[in-house]
Amino acid sequence: MTTHVDLAAKAAAFAGLHNPSAPLALANAWDVASARIVAAAGAPAVATTSAGVAWSLGSPDGDALARDRALDLIARVVAAVPVPVTADIEGGFGADPAAVGETVTGVLDAGAVGINIEDGHRDPAEQIERLAAARAAADAAGVPLYINARIDTYLRGFGEDATRLDDTLARAAAYLRAGATGVFVPGVLDPATVAELAKGIDAPLNILLGPDAPTVAAFGALGVSRVSLGSWVAEAAYAVVRRAAEELLSEGTYGALAHSLPYGELNDLLKD
């Protein structure tokens, strides 16, 4: 049985993976099979994608999934892989800071050592309270939980273009003071902007990558310590389902299956 002492050591090891000289690269998983595939590829850690998790459990992304179902999935992923797990918990699965703290306690009980928590449309002052509650819950458990504070200014286009960088840096500083460990800024790939973010944020910077993004090494050279694929991997997997179904039904052919993983390989990955 994993104890909080074990979790504390694993959390410290996970934090140590954040280094711009060799950025932590996370191909986000959404179930046990995808987590084991990622770990088997040699990943030093596994991250979940909240969107992929929600979709796989029949819910839309965006705080619609019930907390207990999310925590159950996290526990299953943690039990399935030998590496640290960081869980995307959307906005915290709670209406207020106290509920966010309860979620974090559940995340730790599930065995994860990191979380992503997003501000979304929330006022930064409210998000500060939620992050502080998350940190307090982790401190109470004696675990240095890696809290990756997601800032949605670029992803959602908040504010004016001319002030967005300053707003993002101000939020980052406030979130770090509240207890965040690192900062996640999805929606920005411009090298100059990323470099300014890395320079202005006194903590590891996480960037969301996609098909047209520069390489991991290129972002590392800009000062980025962590890159992730978010929901892209799950979206690509579901795209195969659609292509296979449409091809089968319209053409009666099966070309979309050409690059599928062998049955035996997948089955062996899930054997204890």
Side-chain angles (χ1 to χ4, degrees):
M1 179 178 177
T2 300
T3 67
H4 283 174
V5 173
D6 298 325
L7 281 184
K10 188 176 284 189
F14 176 69
L17 297 174
H18 295 72
N19 189 335
S21 65
L24 175 60
L26 299 169
N28 300 69
W30 62 94
D31 61 8
V32 167
S34 59
R36 285 203 168 173
I37 290 168
V38 170
V46 167
T48 64
T49 158
S50 65
V53 167
W55 298 334
S56 73
L57 296 175
S59 293
D61 189 28
D63 295 314
L65 183 65
R67 178 206 280 164
D68 60 343
R69 301 188 72 202
L71 293 176
D72 177 70
L73 188 281
I74 294 167
R76 290 173 183 272
V77 168
V78 168
V81 298
V83 296
V85 173
T86 181
D88 187 336
I89 61 168
E90 304 189 29
F93 297 120
D96 55 32
V100 173
E102 293 170 0
T103 298
V104 168
T105 298
V107 167
L108 293 172
D109 289 342
V113 296
I115 59 169
N116 274 21
I117 183 167
E118 63 200 54
D119 56 7
H121 291 279
R122 290 186 178 89
D123 185 273
E126 180 184 357
Q127 186 67 359
I128 287 167
E129 294 181 353
R130 295 168 75 85
L131 289 166
R135 176 54 67 201
D139 287 347
V143 179
L145 180 73
Y146 194 103
I147 300 177
N148 203 29
R150 191 178 107 176
I151 298 175
D152 282 351
T153 46
Y154 283 92
L155 185 66
R156 300 178 186 272
F158 293 153
E160 301 296 326
D161 291 348
T163 59
R164 189 166 296 132
L165 175 61
D166 288 342
D167 181 26
T168 303
L169 293 175
R171 291 189 188 210
Y175 295 170
L176 291 170
R177 288 193 298 270
T181 316
V183 174
F184 179 27
V185 186
V188 56
L189 295 174
D190 171 64
T193 304
V194 171
E196 287 296 318
L197 288 168
K199 179 181 177 181
I201 295 173
D202 189 22
L205 174 64
N206 181 188
I207 293 296
L208 178 68
L209 304 187
D212 299 320
T215 65
V216 173
F219 279 113
L222 297 174
V224 173
S225 296
R226 170 171 166 176
V227 298
S228 49
L229 300 183
S231 64
W232 278 106
V233 184
E235 291 174 49
Y238 289 126
V240 173
V241 176
R242 182 165 70 181
R243 287 198 302 271
E246 290 177 348
E247 181 185 356
L248 176 66
L249 296 172
S250 62
E251 306 295 333
T253 55
Y254 333 102
L257 306 180
H259 300 293
S260 59
L261 284 176
Y263 169 89
E265 183 179 340
L266 269 173
N267 214 42
D268 287 345
L269 273 176
L270 293 171
K271 291 179 180 178
D272 293 328

